[in-house]
Amino acid sequence: MTKWFINSVTDLLIAFTLATLLLFMVAVNYPELFPQRFFQYWAVATPDAMPPAPSEAPRQVSVVTQVQR
């Protein structure tokens, strides 16, 4: 009984480890498949060249607006 339990726990740990590694590899290589919130929790998986989201595009600010601030 104890041997069966240890083997089951070992198999579960191996499965979770492999799933985590697979998720990490896919997140690094294909960041467009994941929402932006995903990278807040997995900061290690943040790719170097993340394309900016359309809502985060830099906007042009006029000189008059900059002076008024």
Side-chain angles (χ1 to χ4, degrees):
M1 177 73 176
T2 305
K3 191 173 187 176
W4 173 84
F5 181 74
I6 292 173
N7 287 337
S8 298
V9 170
T10 303
D11 290 343
L12 283 174
L13 288 175
I14 291 171
F16 280 118
T17 303
L18 290 176
T20 303
L21 288 174
L22 180 66
L23 183 65
F24 175 78
M25 295 299 293
V26 172
V28 169
N29 293 324
Y30 304 102
E32 64 274 2
L33 297 177
F34 293 88
Q36 285 297 114
R37 284 189 318 190
F38 175 81
F39 295 107
Q40 292 175 357
Y41 301 109
W42 277 46
V44 178
T46 304
D48 293 333
M50 283 285 295
S55 63
E56 298 176 3
R59 56 182 188 180
Q60 296 292 331
V61 179
S62 70
V63 176
V64 176
T65 307
Q66 290 178 357
V67 171
Q68 289 176 350
R69 291 182 186 175

